[in-house]
Amino acid sequence: EDNNITALFGEQLPDVPAGYNYDFVNADALVNVLSVSNGIINTPGGTSYRLLALDANSRHMSLPVLQKLHRMVSDGAIVVGEKPLGTPSLSDDQDEFNALAAELWTNEEGENRVGKGKVFCGQTIAETLQALHIGADFTFTSPGEESRVLYVHRQMDNVDIYWVNNRSDRVENIEATFRVAGREAEIWHPETGLIEQASFQIENGITRVPLRLESNDAVFVVFRKKATVGTWTIPPPKEQPLATIQGPWPVRFQKERGAPAEATFETLAAWNENEDEGIRYFSGTGSYTRTIEAEAGWFMDGDQLWIDLGDVKNLAEVVLNGESLGVVWKKPFRVNVTRVLRQGENNLEIRVTNLWVNRLIGDQQPGAKANFTYTTMPFYRANSPLKPSGLLGPVKIIRIGG
């Protein structure tokens, strides 16, 4: 009631153990928004909580806050925190305050039962969760010591949805543990809409799921279908490189951006390293074209064929035999070409678009012949570092099968 969240936790967040999510609540929301049913703390928006933790800053609270805490505990809420010392308000009834505090914190060490609920005192949040047998909602194991994976959990009807996010620039192969049992695990890919069944193992009220997360990847792990077995294993697909597409690569550049209409790259290289200033400072879309000779041995029933673009700065649209197969904007820069690729000659076009930065820097160069861009603030100077741009590759054809 006397400090904002930034002042209290700007440098050090609450001591909530890993694997549990939490939200902050101020006095106004606690008094006027929260309710309790079946031992769960609820909000009108549908979010629910198992535990209310009082920070050290809550040692002084107004009487309306303490009254609401008393009602919540009586209705079944569980609270952990130290006994409040008093109210900062001169208009509060100090005797009532002391009586309510004494009832809630009869024992200033350990567990207090009041009505349907409990108050824990003299112990940490982690110790309280352990005493209540509330296991971690999400944990993971990984070969990398610096792995950082975040999550958000939401329940809708009888469906548990976990958003799992890899916060590193490398691929992470992890075993994730979810506080869910009795349902199959599915992986939902938000960028494509693809839903695939995952391997899982159910035991002791939790479900373990192996996950492969690309760099900075995010997927939904969804539990919605009743499991008929405790363990389900899906063999990882086998990946076989079939060919690397070599140069030369004719590239057409978007008009009126300072670049030549067309250039040829003998090997794939970054635009920002090109000797031609028009290409070095180019921002826009460049279209790479090649002809692919697909061999008969590439095609096997049940397997998929993909084009892997390697590294792209920053996004690319793949067009094969005149049909657009979509835009890729994150690693891995891959497109499924199974349906369109045919034996023999195929026409491939890769339309790569980069950021505005390089053209902004080019327009700041001494003696620049023209300004192709306009900004209200010159965020980039003539000596600002250029951003890697273009199709960097290597471009490969890959077969994926069981």
Side-chain angles (χ1 to χ4, degrees):
E1 290 178 275
D2 60 350
N3 278 287
N4 61 43
I5 290 174
T6 305
L8 292 173
F9 305 109
E11 296 183 1
Q12 181 64 46
L13 291 172
D15 189 20
V16 178
Y20 300 85
N21 264 346
Y22 63 93
D23 286 318
F24 295 102
V25 61
N26 62 17
D28 178 71
L30 187 144
V31 171
N32 298 305
V33 174
L34 298 185
S35 61
V36 179
S37 61
N38 299 320
I40 303 297
I41 302 169
N42 301 297
T43 68
T47 313
S48 60
Y49 306 90
R50 299 285 297 274
L51 183 65
L52 174 63
L54 301 177
D55 185 74
N57 195 66
S58 301
R59 296 303 297 276
H60 292 85
M61 63 179 65
S62 63
L63 180 58
V65 172
L66 185 58
Q67 290 171 333
K68 180 59 179 288
L69 285 176
H70 187 273
R71 290 197 299 272
M72 290 175 65
V73 174
S74 298
D75 289 341
I78 300 174
V79 174
V80 57
E82 301 304 307
K83 180 181 179 180
L85 300 174
T87 170
S89 174
L90 297 178
S91 63
D92 282 346
D93 186 331
Q94 188 66 53
D95 291 337
E96 182 182 356
F97 186 98
N98 291 337
L100 289 174
E103 183 178 352
L104 289 172
W105 280 270
T106 303
N107 303 306
E108 296 190 22
E109 191 77 27
E111 178 183 319
N112 297 274
R113 292 180 177 270
V114 180
K116 298 178 182 178
K118 299 178 182 178
V119 175
F120 289 87
C121 186
Q123 59 190 52
T124 65
I125 295 174
E127 291 169 339
T128 302
L129 291 168
Q130 185 176 6
L132 296 170
H133 304 290
I134 301 175
D137 191 24
F138 172 85
T139 59
F140 70 95
T141 57
S142 170
E145 295 181 358
E146 299 180 357
S147 301
R148 186 163 180 250
V149 179
L150 303 183
Y151 84 103
V152 175
H153 179 196
R154 181 169 183 175
Q155 291 178 312
M156 298 177 64
D157 298 325
N158 198 34
V159 178
D160 283 87
I161 304 169
Y162 288 81
W163 177 80
V164 182
N165 175 213
N166 175 20
R167 286 299 178 98
S168 70
D169 290 328
R170 63 175 184 267
V171 174
E172 293 285 4
N173 289 291
I174 67 172
E175 182 181 75
T177 300
F178 303 89
R179 195 173 59 199
V180 175
R183 277 170 280 164
E184 298 178 353
E186 297 174 329
I187 300 175
W188 293 21
H189 298 271
E191 72 275 20
T192 63
L194 175 67
I195 296 175
E196 59 180 348
Q197 190 170 15
S199 300
F200 63 86
Q201 181 180 5
I202 305 171
E203 61 178 1
N204 300 323
I206 62 172
T207 303
R208 291 187 174 89
V209 181
L211 294 176
R212 175 185 170 89
L213 300 173
E214 301 293 336
S215 63
N216 299 295
D217 201 6
V219 299
F220 293 101
V221 183
V222 180
F223 300 88
R224 57 173 180 156
K225 298 179 180 179
K226 184 178 179 180
T228 57
V229 294
T231 300
W232 182 264
T233 302
I234 300 176
K238 297 178 181 179
E239 189 172 296
Q240 180 184 1
L242 298 176
T244 299
I245 304 175
Q246 307 289 352
W249 292 86
V251 182
R252 298 190 311 275
F253 290 97
Q254 195 170 352
K255 296 179 180 179
E256 300 179 356
R257 300 290 175 89
E262 187 170 334
T264 298
F265 287 65
E266 294 300 324
T267 59
L268 294 175
W271 298 341
N272 55 292
E273 297 174 355
N274 200 282
E275 293 182 357
D276 188 314
E277 287 192 355
I279 298 176
R280 184 161 67 248
Y281 297 118
F282 175 76
S283 291
T285 300
S287 297
Y288 296 73
T289 55
R290 286 290 285 126
T291 298
I292 303 174
E293 285 290 336
E295 301 177 7
W298 291 5
F299 300 85
M300 296 184 65
D301 289 342
D303 288 355
Q304 296 180 346
L305 295 173
W306 290 69
I307 286 183
D308 188 317
L309 304 182
D311 198 8
V312 175
K313 299 296 182 181
N314 293 89
L315 57 82
E317 180 185 11
V318 177
V319 180
L320 185 62
N321 296 326
E323 182 173 341
S324 175
L325 299 180
V327 175
V328 286
W329 48 271
K330 69 178 187 64
K331 295 181 180 179
F333 293 96
R334 289 183 172 185
V335 174
N336 190 334
V337 297
T338 308
R339 182 177 55 83
V340 180
L341 189 69
R342 56 180 178 246
Q343 184 178 339
E345 186 175 289
N346 295 265
N347 297 316
L348 172 65
E349 181 180 6
I350 304 171
R351 301 168 182 169
V352 177
T353 303
N354 67 336
L355 303 175
W356 270 113
V357 175
N358 292 352
R359 186 66 267 167
L360 291 170
I361 295 172
D363 286 358
Q364 297 293 321
Q365 300 302 308
K369 297 179 182 180
N371 288 333
F372 297 92
T373 60
Y374 169 79
T375 61
T376 56
M377 282 288 291
F379 296 103
Y380 296 95
R381 307 292 184 178
N383 60 352
S384 297
L386 296 172
K387 299 290 186 182
S389 297
L391 177 61
L392 307 182
V395 179
K396 298 180 179 181
I397 304 295
I398 294 174
R399 182 168 61 212
I400 299 177

